[in-house]
Amino acid sequence: MHILRPAFAAALITAICAGPAPAADSSQADAKREERWQLIADYLFDDREVLPTDSLIKIDAPKRAQDAALVPITLTMPEKDRIKSVYLVIDDNPAPLAAHVTFGPAADPGSLQLRVRVDTYTNVHAVAETKEGKLFSAVAFVKASGGCSAPSGPSDAEAMKGMGEMRMKFAESMQDGQPAEATLMIRHPNFTGMQMNQLTRLYTPSRYIDKVTVSYGDQTVLEVSGDISLSTNPVIGFNFVPGGNELMKVVASDTKGERWEQSFKVPPVTN
């Protein structure tokens, strides 16, 4: 899997930094956005074809974000049994690939929620990878600005307090063998490298969570590979299939090599 960072191929940088075409010509703007998407898709997926879909994966995103640094994204996969993984791509962000989520045997891939940063008006693509290895994408347009440079806190030290602390929220009621909702919250500033320290007026070096693995008992629920486009204090909402009396374990790591692990007691299921 490719993770895009500001140092990737020159042609892609040029296309992204060029920004949208003038508003006076919407068709030209759409063509520029499609050209950018094709460059990104070629980089991420090599020669694999990415087909548009309006049924295999759907993306729910605000048309105009209230906070560009905390934009809620919900992905739904109606044909969930076909889904192996999903990619969330924010086309005009400096690092477009926000996350690649791979579902394990304990997952119910029907829906996924993430909070992301959006740096400018942009298309957001959700790409579903099927178990047969085919790729299908849905797209939404989001109006937001400055999400990647928004400060994570009043100071770097304040933003890093409690780094690695986790919380897990489960649905109030669970039935054996039926999908249940869970929400994982991880405390981490997810520094992008574009944020200015409000005290020193220097740019804070990038440091962000790049890997999260959630397991239920001895089975994987999901694996998340992330980049700077995930928000400060990432929140991941997902579904899993409860059963038995197993613990849910989360292992997270960041780009500085720090690693955190925590287990959570899952509420008892009812028949």
Side-chain angles (χ1 to χ4, degrees):
M1 183 202 69
H2 301 284
I3 295 289
L4 300 187
R5 297 188 175 89
F8 60 79
L12 184 54
I13 293 177
T14 301
I16 290 173
C17 292
D25 188 347
S26 60
S27 62
Q28 185 180 8
D30 290 342
K32 288 290 187 182
R33 292 190 181 102
E34 180 60 24
E35 179 183 358
R36 248 187 324 274
W37 165 239
Q38 290 302 323
L39 283 170
I40 294 169
D42 288 345
Y43 184 88
L44 284 176
F45 307 115
D46 299 322
D47 295 328
R48 299 169 67 190
E49 185 178 19
V50 183
L51 299 172
T53 182
D54 57 5
S55 60
L56 197 63
I57 187 167
K58 300 177 184 291
I59 180 168
D60 182 16
K63 293 181 179 179
R64 184 179 294 275
Q66 293 184 350
D67 185 341
L70 295 169
V71 181
I73 302 288
T74 298
L75 308 180
T76 55
M77 285 66 72
E79 300 179 50
K80 59 187 180 182
D81 292 339
R82 296 181 58 190
I83 304 301
K84 174 184 176 182
S85 73
V86 297
Y87 297 78
L88 181 62
V89 180
I90 306 170
D91 292 16
D92 289 298
N93 271 13
L97 180 58
H100 177 210
V101 181
T102 303
F103 298 102
D108 179 87
S111 68
L112 181 72
Q113 296 83 39
L114 298 167
R115 294 195 313 193
V116 300
R117 297 179 167 108
V118 176
D119 208 48
T120 188
Y121 287 21
T122 183
N123 278 341
V124 177
H125 281 86
V127 179
E129 180 182 24
T130 68
K131 294 176 181 177
E132 297 81 21
K134 296 181 179 180
L135 300 169
F136 298 88
S137 72
V139 62
F141 185 71
V142 176
K143 295 180 178 180
S145 181
C148 292
S149 57
S152 297
S155 68
D156 292 353
E158 187 69 24
M160 294 174 69
K161 280 185 178 180
M163 191 166 60
E165 292 178 359
M166 303 181 199
R167 295 182 181 181
M168 184 79 78
K169 181 180 179 181
F170 295 100
E172 293 183 2
S173 62
M174 297 187 184
Q175 293 184 345
D176 192 14
Q178 298 298 314
E181 296 179 359
T183 303
L184 170 64
M185 295 153 278
I186 306 176
R187 187 166 180 81
H188 197 287
N190 266 14
F191 293 132
T192 66
M194 300 171 59
Q195 298 151 309
M196 181 178 288
N197 185 300
Q198 300 302 292
L199 300 178
T200 66
R201 310 305 291 174
L202 300 174
Y203 286 100
T204 303
S206 66
R207 178 177 184 173
Y208 54 88
I209 289 177
D210 59 355
K211 183 73 175 292
V212 178
T213 301
V214 181
S215 57
Y216 181 51
D218 60 357
Q219 291 190 319
T220 300
V221 180
L222 49 79
E223 294 182 350
V224 182
S225 297
D227 210 296
I228 65 170
S229 292
L230 289 182
S231 71
T232 296
N233 302 327
V235 175
I236 306 169
F238 59 92
N239 292 347
F240 71 106
V241 182
N245 190 27
E246 306 286 357
L247 294 176
M248 184 166 285
K249 184 173 76 173
V250 180
V251 179
S253 60
D254 71 8
T255 53
K256 294 299 183 181
E258 197 78 23
R259 182 181 183 276
W260 303 273
E261 180 178 325
Q262 190 167 338
S263 295
F264 300 89
K265 186 176 181 180
V266 178
V269 299
T270 58
N271 295 325

